[in-house]
Amino acid sequence: MSKILFFQTVHSTPRIHPRIVTSILSKPLIIPSVSKCYSPISPFHSISLPALKHHFHSPSFSFPSSFPTRAFDDSSSSIETQNEKEEKVGEQSEIEEYPSGEMEYEKISGWKSFVVKLKMLIAFPWQRVRKGSVLTMKLRGQISDQLKSRFSSGLSLPQICENFVKAAYDPRISGVYLHIEPLNCGWGKVEEIRRHILNFKKSGKFIIAYIPACGEKEFYLACACEEIYAPPSAYFSLYGLTVQASFLGGVLEKIGIEPQVQRIGKYKSAGDQLTRKSMSEENCEMLTSLLDNIYGNWLDVVSSSKGMKREDVEHFINEGVYEVEKLKEEGFITNIHYDDEVISMLKERLGVQKDKKLSMVDYKKYSKVRKWTLGLTGGKDLIAVIRATGSISRVRSPLSTSSSGIVAEQIIEKIRSVRESKRYKAVIIRIDSPGGDALASDLMWREIKLLAASKPVIASMGDVAASGGYYMAMAAQTIVAENLTLTGSIGVVTGKFNLGKLYEKIGFNKEVISRGRYAELLAAEQRPFSLCYSDLGMSISYKYMSNTATFKVNAMVAYFPWNVKDVCFRPDEAELFEKSAQNAYKQFRDKAAFSRSMPVEKMEEVAQGRVWAGKDAASRGLVDAIGGLSRAIAIAKHKIKIPQDRPVTLVELSRPSPTLPEVLSGIGSSIVGVDRTVKELLQDLTFSDGVQARMDGIMFQRLEGFPNATPVISLIKDYLSSL
């Protein structure tokens, strides 16, 4: 999310070709201390939002779009004229009501129960579970939106959700014991897991949480369980949420580097950490709104779950309580127990003798239990699921692994295979991406558009589907997002570094011989866009470049040891650069407007590079329904006109193949971790052509939690952990 762009390539046509140099984030700057943040709302005292408690517990809740979503006309790849768009928007149609996808639990009985027991008897030994077992899952660290191979370590969101479904119907599972520790994922995944916890409770089986270290995300999940336990020495940090942004403008200025970044959209803050020394008013407004959404949602859900008033929960947070005893007194946790005491309590509840061992099955082993064993097989109708996770690039880097980001050429291959196949009735594109290469995003958009012309396509968003991620989603017929999915950010960014002052300080010289009027537009990094001189001196800022600035320029030339004839000014370079970026932005915006059946003027109001929370995006027509993958499946059934109670078979087209590091992970996981981080770092340092549709490198402390924003820091941490 935090990749900063550096562009340097030569092209004679009015297109901009950037290169990624590296991801840099300095020590975060906390928003409340930023003087430019004019919002009167503190991040710890959120805007008074309407009471949405009952909505957040219902997967059927949605903000229907004011405009119906249509796929592009397959007859032409070009954008329709403004008049044609307005005519289509003028054709008012009824807002489509989408099914909720809420789980309806039905106990297995009769003949089906006998068949399930028979399947359990003939199952492989590694798929067998003792009767009366407790499913234990440790939710901590990173949670991937992708499927994991059998050799992979870490947690997978699809597998976590499937385990909850299997455990609800498995007669051998008596209940679930969750260990919830600090999570490193976005709020979209947290919402999805919480929904499956609530669905599991419909089975009548118990589910309890144990939280030795707890922040807002961890407690958000725990309060969905029936009981919450914590050890007396537990770390609780329920102090509120913060959002942080870093700025390197002052640092780069001191070392003689001048970033020249072209951002289209007043809210498009990608590049601000390079060019600015403090937060812009627009960025502050956007981040404050996002923070208020997440914090307000947290207060609503927690207060509803614990049967408290929102004001009481907020007051408790503002007291800065850290004592576990106080949390118990106020009813935030059930009791104070160590892990072994909770297990003893479970043994007593299940009638297990004290000297006997409680039968427990962990996440990894239970993941091997097939749904077929439990009679949860799908139907004859096939729905393809294509998962797109990570930063977007057009082609795979030689250093990248099979699971590193979204590679357009691979996703396109999968999309085409689904389009050409008659097996699949519908397709779900699962997106969890902050964006990336604009060209790659557009190529995938085109293929999704063609796919949507032949069969229903539903876009399901995870933690984030912004910039290039939203670019992909808007080609689908229906877009589904979580309440707190970060989405939108319709805008582009491009630019280069002017290294003239740095070169002067280190005594480096570079001379360029070129042919073609704009050949040096991005090739000459030793000067700004609009300055050309043969004798390297001190670079002149573009603010001096204008037809009316002759006197100032001549005065400067007289001051510095330059020959006037060695200096030439090219305002047309900066003009071309800006026009190229504007053209890329207009294509993005206009496609978004047509995809969402929205006038361009209306789309412009919600574009401008602004990031929206899912529920706000839905109320503004950028998203059709609120929910997770289960709701996307329900909508797909609705589109292909089959009953909601009829099972379907999901075909995952992004199943990973085990890599050598994954196979060897059991031998030296820490060494593999260092190797993986080195590869990620080197990959970030490689060059990639293309205008970027990328969300800003925002760091959400206790809010978004992406530690890999700075690969160097990750490398150091992995190295230290391996010692």
Side-chain angles (χ1 to χ4, degrees):
M1 289 174 56
S2 59
K3 293 182 175 58
I4 308 306
L5 313 176
F6 172 45
F7 318 105
Q8 181 182 350
T9 192
V10 179
H11 209 286
S12 58
T13 58
R15 296 188 301 172
I16 302 172
H17 295 270
R19 299 191 304 178
I20 302 175
V21 164
T22 186
S23 302
I24 307 173
L25 274 175
S26 62
K27 186 176 180 181
L29 179 65
I30 301 176
I31 286 182
S33 64
V34 178
S35 60
K36 290 227 175 180
C37 183
Y38 299 107
S39 171
I41 306 298
S42 166
F44 302 101
H45 297 82
S46 62
I47 297 174
S48 179
L49 301 173
L52 300 174
K53 300 176 186 176
H54 62 286
H55 292 302
F56 292 122
H57 288 285
S58 173
S60 62
F61 171 66
S62 68
F63 291 87
S65 168
S66 300
F67 302 92
T69 307
R70 301 192 193 95
F72 278 48
D73 185 0
D74 197 37
S75 61
S76 174
S77 61
S78 62
I79 302 299
E80 296 195 66
T81 64
Q82 179 63 27
N83 291 335
E84 290 172 330
K85 293 180 195 174
E86 291 176 351
E87 288 177 5
K88 290 196 173 186
V89 172
E91 298 174 3
Q92 299 296 329
S93 60
E94 295 182 2
I95 298 175
E96 190 170 4
E97 293 293 335
Y98 297 116
S100 67
E102 187 173 355
M103 173 182 168
E104 297 293 339
Y105 176 79
E106 294 182 7
K107 189 174 181 179
I108 299 176
S109 59
W111 172 254
K112 190 175 181 180
S113 176
F114 172 78
V115 173
V116 169
K117 291 178 181 178
L118 182 62
K119 289 180 178 180
M120 291 177 181
L121 288 174
I122 63 175
F124 292 112
W126 55 84
Q127 295 178 354
R128 295 178 185 175
V129 178
R130 288 187 179 182
K131 187 175 178 60
S133 295
V134 175
L135 172 61
T136 63
M137 288 196 287
K138 292 185 178 181
L139 304 180
R140 66 184 175 195
Q142 291 186 343
I143 298 178
S144 172
D145 201 71
Q146 292 279 12
L147 292 166
K148 297 276 189 178
S149 70
R150 68 178 65 181
F151 299 103
S152 301
S153 59
L155 298 171
S156 166
L157 179 66
Q159 200 61 66
I160 292 172
C161 297
E162 183 178 292
N163 280 354
F164 276 118
V165 174
K166 290 188 298 186
Y169 287 95
D170 195 335
R172 302 166 297 182
I173 298 295
S174 300
V176 175
Y177 181 29
L178 286 181
H179 274 240
I180 306 175
E181 298 189 31
L183 295 167
N184 182 23
C185 64
W187 285 95
K189 292 188 182 72
V190 173
E191 287 269 17
E192 183 87 7
I193 295 172
R194 191 176 195 280
R195 182 181 298 109
H196 277 79
I197 293 175
L198 297 174
N199 285 336
F200 174 82
K201 291 168 68 175
K202 297 177 182 178
S203 67
K205 301 177 182 181
F206 69 83
I207 178 167
I208 63 176
Y210 181 73
I211 45 176
C214 181
E216 285 74 20
K217 286 181 182 176
E218 295 73 35
F219 193 76
Y220 190 84
L221 284 181
C223 68
C225 301
E226 296 171 348
E227 303 168 31
I228 304 175
Y229 297 95
S233 55
Y235 292 114
F236 274 84
S237 55
L238 302 178
Y239 302 136
L241 301 174
T242 63
V243 58
Q244 303 178 354
S246 305
F247 301 95
L248 295 172
V251 176
L252 297 180
E253 181 181 322
K254 289 181 181 296
I255 62 178
I257 297 177
E258 179 192 359
Q260 294 189 299
V261 178
Q262 185 66 252
R263 300 179 306 275
I264 308 300
K266 64 180 181 179
Y267 293 101
K268 195 68 177 178
S269 55
D272 275 6
Q273 57 267 59
L274 287 177
T275 59
R276 296 183 61 89
K277 299 178 182 179
S278 61
M279 189 176 296
S280 67
E281 184 177 355
E282 293 81 8
N283 195 23
C284 180
E285 175 193 344
M286 178 179 70
L287 295 183
T288 302
S289 176
L290 289 173
L291 193 60
D292 287 334
N293 266 293
I294 296 172
Y295 188 55
N297 177 77
W298 190 89
L299 291 172
D300 287 331
V301 171
V302 171
S303 59
S304 178
S305 299
K306 307 307 294 183
M308 303 175 179
K309 293 181 179 179
R310 175 188 164 124
E311 294 76 16
D312 294 337
V313 175
E314 188 170 12
H315 177 71
F316 184 82
I317 295 298
N318 291 334
E319 285 184 346
V321 176
Y322 57 89
E323 302 96 335
V324 181
E325 293 79 6
K326 183 71 172 177
L327 288 160
K328 178 186 174 182
E329 291 175 8
E330 296 292 334
F332 282 86
I333 64 174
T334 306
N335 212 335
I336 303 172
H337 287 312
Y338 284 104
D339 181 41
D340 63 288
E341 293 176 316
V342 177
I343 293 175
S344 298
M345 182 192 68
L346 291 177
K347 290 168 67 174
E348 182 179 352
R349 179 179 296 185
L350 297 175
V352 179
Q353 297 179 8
K354 291 184 178 180
D355 58 339
K356 298 292 184 180
K357 186 178 180 181
L358 179 65
S359 179
M360 306 177 80
V361 55
D362 62 16
Y363 161 85
K364 192 167 186 179
K365 181 178 180 181
Y366 197 67
S367 296
K368 298 176 183 177
V369 175
R370 297 173 58 191
K371 295 174 70 175
W372 173 85
T373 307
L374 305 172
L376 299 176
T377 54
K380 63 179 182 179
D381 297 307
L382 304 183
I383 296 178
V385 179
I386 301 175
R387 296 183 182 271
T389 303
S391 183
I392 297 172
S393 59
R394 191 166 57 87
V395 296
R396 181 173 297 285
S397 164
L399 296 170
S400 61
T401 62
S402 59
S403 58
S404 56
I406 301 170
V407 181
E409 61 182 6
Q410 294 182 339
I411 296 293
I412 288 173
E413 183 180 349
K414 290 183 175 68
I415 294 172
R416 286 178 178 174
S417 66
V418 173
R419 178 160 57 94
E420 294 167 0
S421 174
K422 296 182 180 179
R423 297 176 57 211
Y424 307 109
K425 297 291 185 66
V427 185
I428 295 174
I429 309 288
R430 175 71 177 184
I431 303 172
D432 190 14
S433 170
D437 191 312
L439 171 59
S441 304
D442 185 63
L443 296 178
M444 290 186 289
W445 166 86
R446 171 63 180 174
E447 294 297 329
I448 297 173
K449 167 187 173 254
L450 294 175
L451 178 62
S454 61
K455 56 191 67 178
V457 178
I458 316 299
S460 173
M461 297 177 172
D463 286 338
V464 55
S467 292
Y470 185 78
Y471 204 128
M472 295 173 61
M474 68 188 189
Q477 296 165 339
T478 307
I479 301 177
V480 182
E482 296 287 0
N483 275 308
L484 302 180
T485 296
L486 301 181
T487 188
S489 191
I490 300 170
V492 298
V493 59
T494 186
K496 73 166 187 175
F497 285 129
N498 169 26
L499 306 179
K501 290 183 180 180
L502 176 63
Y503 287 174
E504 180 188 13
K505 289 182 178 181
I506 64 177
F508 178 77
N509 184 29
K510 180 177 181 179
E511 296 183 2
V512 179
I513 300 175
S514 61
R515 294 293 181 272
R517 182 176 181 180
Y518 295 106
E520 296 184 21
L521 180 67
L522 295 169
E525 82 282 354
Q526 80 279 11
R527 66 172 178 84
F529 284 122
S530 301
L531 176 62
C532 174
Y533 49 88
S534 60
D535 185 15
L536 181 64
M538 186 173 293
S539 62
I540 299 178
S541 173
Y542 176 67
K543 63 184 177 182
Y544 296 108
M545 306 302 127
S546 69
N547 295 329
T548 59
T550 306
F551 176 78
K552 293 182 180 180
V553 170
N554 290 338
M556 291 185 65
V557 170
Y559 180 79
F560 292 110
W562 289 343
N563 190 322
V564 176
K565 63 183 178 182
D566 289 334
V567 183
C568 62
F569 299 103
R570 296 283 307 280
D572 55 332
E573 279 190 347
E575 183 181 356
L576 173 64
F577 189 76
E578 181 180 0
K579 286 181 178 179
S580 300
Q582 286 283 358
N583 180 62
Y585 170 70
K586 289 178 181 178
Q587 287 187 19
F588 190 173
R589 181 201 61 194
D590 292 352
K591 286 179 179 178
F594 183 70
S595 296
R596 304 305 300 165
S597 299
M598 189 182 297
V600 172
E601 294 78 11
K602 182 73 174 177
M603 177 57 67
E604 182 70 12
E605 295 176 6
V606 297
Q608 293 285 325
R610 177 154 185 169
V611 181
W612 302 96
K615 60 181 180 181
D616 283 346
S619 66
R620 288 164 173 80
L622 297 177
V623 168
D624 295 298
I626 297 296
L629 186 63
S630 58
R631 186 159 201 199
I633 295 169
I635 294 174
K637 289 182 180 180
H638 174 70
K639 294 286 186 182
I640 59 179
K641 295 180 171 53
I642 66 172
Q644 289 297 312
D645 57 355
R646 182 192 296 180
V648 295
T649 298
L650 299 182
V651 181
E652 292 276 0
L653 299 183
S654 305
R655 285 191 173 277
S657 56
T659 61
L660 181 60
E662 291 174 338
V663 175
L664 298 176
S665 61
I667 301 174
S669 58
S670 59
I671 297 176
V672 172
V674 174
D675 176 68
R676 182 181 61 252
T677 310
V678 170
K679 287 185 177 181
E680 290 176 356
L681 175 59
L682 293 175
Q683 183 181 356
D684 285 334
L685 292 175
T686 57
F687 301 120
S688 175
D689 292 336
V691 177
Q692 297 289 302
R694 185 186 299 275
M695 195 174 78
D696 186 19
I698 302 168
M699 291 186 65
F700 288 83
Q701 181 183 15
R702 299 199 203 106
L703 188 151
E704 194 56 37
F706 287 97
N708 292 328
T710 309
V712 177
I713 294 177
S714 299
L715 176 62
I716 295 171
K717 289 172 64 178
D718 281 342
Y719 174 74
L720 293 176
S721 67
S722 67
L723 298 178

